Amino acid sequence: MQMGHGHWGLLVLALSLSGCVALQPTQTEALQTRVPEPEMQTPLPEALAIADLELMAAPGEVCSPDVHLHLSEGIEWNLWDRVRGGFSLPFEANSRIDVERQWYTKNQAYLDRVAERAEPYLHFIVSELELRNMPAELALLPIVESAFQPFAYSAGRAAGIWQFIPSTGRIFDLDQNWWYDGRRDIVASTNAALDYLEKLTGYFDGDWMLALAAYNSGSGTVRKAIRKNRARNKATDFWSLDLPKETRTYVPRLLALRDLVADPEAYGMVLQPITDQRYFRMVDLDSQIDLAMAAELAELPIEEIYRLNPGFNRWATAPEGPHRLVLPLEAADRFEDELANVPQEERVTWKRHRVKSGETLGQIARNNRTTVAVLQRVNSLRGHIIRAGHHLLIPVASRASASYTLSADQRLKSIQSTPRGSNKVVHTVAAGDTLWDISRSYQVSVSALARWNGMAPRDPLKPGQKLVIWQQSGLQKTAQSTPNHEGRIQRVNYTVRRGDSLARIAQRFRVSVSKLQQWNGIKKGAYLQPGQRLTLFVDVTRQSGSA
C-alpha cells in the first residue's frame, strides 16, 4: 500500500504525539525513491519470496508496542510501509539486480504465497531489527534463504527460515537434538541470525554488502576474494570480488526484493498487505507438554502450534527445554489460564513398562518414540543396565502419531509417500551403507535419493533406517529392488594391489570398466594406487571360475 501525502503527514504527527521521533529526511527520501526500470528479460531460477513491512520511527528510537495501529479512524497501518522506512542499503543500478528483479516481476503468485507464509513472523523480525538499528532489508533475507518456510531443509544441511547449517547453529547456541532443533525456532534463530550478521558486518568494517556475502558463503571465502583483489590492485567492494556463483546472485536477489518492496507500483507488482501488529508472544511453561494438549488448551489446530514452534521435532516440547511456546496473541492468555489448572505431571501421558528379558533401553526408547536420555532421567538411571521384571516410567504421546501432523516423523512420512516414479522400493540401511553406495546399487542419483527421504546428501545414515527409492517402470531393477535377488548382487569392498588396473579388476569380478569407474567416481585415464579402496556391486552367480 503506497501512502498519500496526507496519510504521511498524519503518521508523522501521530508518531510525534506518541513519543516517537519523527522520521528523518533520508527515510522519507527512501520511501519516494524509484529504482531504474529493468532492462534485461533473463529469467532467474526460482529462489524465494517476499516479506512484510511497516513505517518505523527515527533510528534508535522505539515506539510503544502498538503505536502504529489505527492512529486515525479508517487507517490500517501496513507492515510493508514500516519496512520501507527502515531501508538503508544503497539503491544501485546493476544488471545482476535486474536479472533477479525480473524473475520476481513475472511471478506475482509466488510473492503472494511467500507473503502469506511470512505474516506470522515478519512483525517480530522487523521489531528486532529496529531495536538493533539494523537495515530493514534484512527482514527480506528469509525470502532469499527459505521463502519463509519454517521447515525448509537444504542439500547443504541448512535448516529453518534463516538456513543455519549445523556447525554455525551450534556456534550461536542453537541446540540440535532428537527433540528440538533451534535452527528452526523462529525466535531463537532470528536472534542468532541477527547476532551473526552484526558480527559479520564488524568483520568487514560496517560493509553490509560484504557481510551478506559472508552470511551466504562464509567470511573466509569473502576475505580470500578481498586479498586476491588487493594483490592485483583491484577494487574490493562486493561487485568487484570473484565470489562463488551462488553468492554473486544472493546479494543482488535481496536488493531486487528491496527494490520491489520500495516501489511495487513501478514494477507492476502488488504486495499483499500485512497488518502492522504484533502476531505472537512467548508463554513460559516450566515443564514439558504434549503438543496435542497445548493445542486443546489454546483452542488452536495443532498445525498452528507447529508452525509457530517449528523447532520441536516430536509430539511434545523437549524434556530439557526450551520450556516455552510461541502462541498467537488472542490464544496466549486463554492458554495460560487453562494451563494453570494442569499440574506439571499431567502435561504428558505416562506409561508403566515392565522390562522383558533381552530388552535394552535403546529398544524401549525407539518403540515408545523417546530417547535413552529421557528414560534415564525420568527413572533415575545412571547407566544403560536394566533388569527383566523391573518397571520403567515412560512419557508417551496422548494421541496417535498421525495426529501430530507436522512432527518430524509425519513430515518424513509425507515426503516418502509422495509418488516420484512407478515403482516404490523400501531399503533398510545396513551397517556401513552410504547414500552413494545405495544410489549406485539402485541406479539413481544421490541428490534424488536424499530428496525422496527428506535428507541432505551428506546426512549420516543409521542401521535400520528405512529409505524410499522410486524407479521408473521399464528400468532394470538392481540388487535390493529385485524381489528374488536373495543376495545375488553383493557389494564388495576391494583394496587395490600392486599391478592392478581397472581392466584387470573389472575382468576379475565380471563387471564393466565403465561401471567400476561410475561406482567409484574415477575419471577416465586416472591411475589406481596400491591400497586404494574400491566398491563393486557384483553378481555372485557370475563369479564361478573368476581369477
Side-chain angles (χ1 to χ4, degrees):
M1 178 183 75
Q2 290 292 320
M3 239 186 192
H5 293 296
H7 286 172
W8 178 253
L10 258 175
L11 176 63
V12 173
L13 174 61
L15 289 172
S16 301
L17 293 174
S18 67
C20 295
V21 179
L23 297 179
Q24 300 299 315
T26 55
Q27 292 171 294
T28 60
E29 290 167 7
L31 187 68
Q32 297 165 358
T33 300
R34 286 178 178 260
V35 290
E37 291 292 334
E39 299 174 358
M40 300 179 64
Q41 297 299 320
T42 307
L44 94 69
E46 172 160 341
L48 327 220
I50 266 211
D52 329 343
L53 328 149
E54 168 186 67
L55 290 163
M56 71 179 276
E61 296 295 326
V62 181
C63 296
S64 57
D66 294 319
V67 69
H68 298 286
L69 294 175
H70 309 294
L71 294 177
S72 178
E73 187 175 353
I75 298 177
E76 187 176 78
W77 303 107
N78 189 346
L79 188 57
W80 294 114
D81 293 323
R82 181 173 170 190
V83 176
R84 289 186 191 97
F87 285 161
S88 59
L89 298 184
F91 285 83
E92 301 191 45
N94 187 282
S95 61
R96 280 194 260 167
I97 299 175
D98 294 341
V99 170
E100 304 294 325
R101 191 171 55 227
Q102 287 174 27
W103 184 90
Y104 288 117
T105 59
K106 296 176 182 178
N107 289 274
Q108 174 73 58
Y110 176 74
L111 295 181
D112 293 343
R113 292 196 302 274
V114 175
E116 183 178 356
R117 285 197 292 265
E119 185 169 8
Y121 318 131
L122 194 61
H123 186 278
F124 168 73
I125 294 171
V126 172
S127 298
E128 291 300 306
L129 288 170
E130 290 176 355
L131 287 173
R132 297 173 183 240
N133 197 26
M134 296 172 74
E137 284 90 343
L138 301 180
L140 308 179
L141 198 58
I143 301 175
V144 180
E145 287 288 349
S146 64
F148 269 106
Q149 298 186 72
F151 299 106
Y153 188 62
S154 77
R157 304 185 68 199
I161 65 171
W162 294 98
Q163 289 288 281
F164 274 96
I165 61 173
S167 57
T168 308
R170 285 189 287 271
I171 290 172
F172 287 91
D173 298 323
L174 296 176
D175 292 339
Q176 299 158 58
N177 54 58
W178 190 80
W179 286 94
Y180 169 80
D181 191 336
R183 297 176 300 159
R184 292 199 309 269
D185 185 309
I186 299 300
V187 173
S189 68
T190 295
N191 288 326
L194 301 192
D195 287 345
Y196 187 23
L197 285 162
E198 283 184 321
K199 188 173 183 178
L200 289 171
T201 194
Y203 284 162
F204 298 104
D205 300 322
D207 190 322
W208 278 105
M209 301 285 280
L210 297 180
L212 286 164
Y215 188 88
N216 176 252
S217 61
S219 58
T221 299
V222 177
R223 283 198 292 260
K224 181 179 178 181
I226 291 173
R227 288 196 298 270
K228 182 179 177 181
N229 272 23
R230 281 176 178 162
R232 299 178 179 182
N233 292 318
K234 292 184 177 181
T236 57
D237 62 288
F238 168 77
W239 303 106
S240 303
L241 296 180
D242 181 16
L243 293 167
K245 182 178 179 181
E246 179 185 338
T247 309
R248 287 173 58 82
T249 61
Y250 179 85
V251 178
R253 190 165 296 159
L254 177 67
L255 296 179
L257 281 167
R258 187 274 314 276
D259 290 350
L260 293 175
V261 172
D263 196 349
E265 292 180 2
Y267 301 102
M269 305 296 290
V270 176
L271 296 180
Q272 297 301 316
I274 298 175
T275 303
D276 183 5
Q277 185 174 7
R278 188 179 173 194
Y279 189 92
F280 62 72
R281 71 177 177 88
M282 287 187 293
V283 176
D284 291 328
L285 301 174
D286 299 324
S287 69
Q288 187 181 27
I289 189 170
D290 188 308
L291 293 177
M293 174 183 286
E296 290 180 3
L297 296 178
E299 297 181 14
L300 292 172
I302 196 166
E303 291 83 1
E304 179 75 355
I305 297 291
Y306 276 111
R307 286 194 180 96
L308 289 177
N309 301 273
F312 293 120
N313 292 328
R314 309 297 165 184
W315 52 270
T317 59
E320 304 299 330
H323 295 309
R324 56 174 171 74
L325 278 179
V326 171
L327 296 172
L329 288 180
E330 68 276 8
D333 290 342
R334 177 169 59 247
F335 174 83
E336 285 183 318
D337 291 341
E338 296 296 329
L339 185 68
N341 299 320
V342 183
Q344 288 188 6
E345 62 273 14
E346 294 180 14
R347 295 177 185 178
V348 293
T349 302
W350 299 90
K351 180 173 80 172
R352 196 165 180 260
H353 175 80
R354 189 174 188 271
V355 179
K356 300 172 185 176
S357 178
E359 278 190 319
T360 66
L361 270 181
Q363 291 171 333
I364 296 170
R366 284 193 298 273
N367 291 340
N368 290 279
R369 292 182 290 153
T370 187
T371 62
V372 169
V374 169
L375 295 182
Q376 290 172 323
R377 182 176 60 82
V378 170
N379 294 278
S380 301
L381 300 174
R382 293 188 176 182
H384 288 73
I385 297 176
I386 52 176
R387 291 181 172 83
H390 286 196
H391 288 85
L392 295 176
L393 204 58
I394 305 172
V396 294
S398 62
R399 305 288 188 276
S401 298
S403 300
Y404 302 88
T405 50
L406 291 176
S407 67
D409 293 337
Q410 291 304 306
R411 294 198 312 273
L412 175 59
K413 185 176 180 180
S414 176
I415 291 170
Q416 291 182 326
S417 299
T418 302
R420 317 276 185 168
S422 303
N423 302 311
K424 178 181 177 180
V425 180
V426 177
H427 175 89
T428 302
V429 175
D433 272 352
T434 67
L435 280 178
W436 193 88
D437 293 334
I438 297 168
S439 71
R440 296 282 72 77
S441 181
Y442 287 96
Q443 298 179 14
V444 298
S445 70
V446 170
S447 59
L449 181 58
R451 186 170 63 253
W452 296 335
N453 292 279
M455 303 174 62
R458 291 187 290 115
D459 279 352
L461 298 177
K462 296 179 181 178
Q465 183 177 347
K466 304 290 186 183
L467 296 180
V468 167
I469 295 99
W470 292 94
Q471 296 182 319
Q472 301 298 328
S473 59
L475 291 179
Q476 179 183 2
K477 293 186 174 70
T478 55
Q480 295 89 332
S481 62
T482 304
N484 61 350
H485 71 277
E486 291 298 332
R488 178 177 162 223
I489 304 294
Q490 295 288 327
R491 185 177 71 182
V492 174
N493 295 319
Y494 180 80
T495 302
V496 176
R497 307 168 191 171
R498 187 177 300 278
D500 272 345
S501 66
L502 284 173
R504 180 173 295 180
I505 296 170
Q507 182 180 24
R508 179 181 302 159
F509 289 97
R510 301 183 188 275
V511 297
S512 68
V513 170
S514 61
K515 283 291 186 185
L516 192 54
Q517 291 172 320
Q518 179 185 5
W519 291 332
N520 294 277
I522 299 173
K523 296 180 180 179
K524 188 175 181 179
Y527 290 98
L528 298 179
Q529 300 295 328
Q532 183 177 348
R533 293 182 62 82
L534 302 178
T535 297
L536 300 87
F537 295 95
V538 302
D539 185 338
V540 296
T541 65
R542 299 185 61 208
Q543 301 308 304
S544 299
S546 60

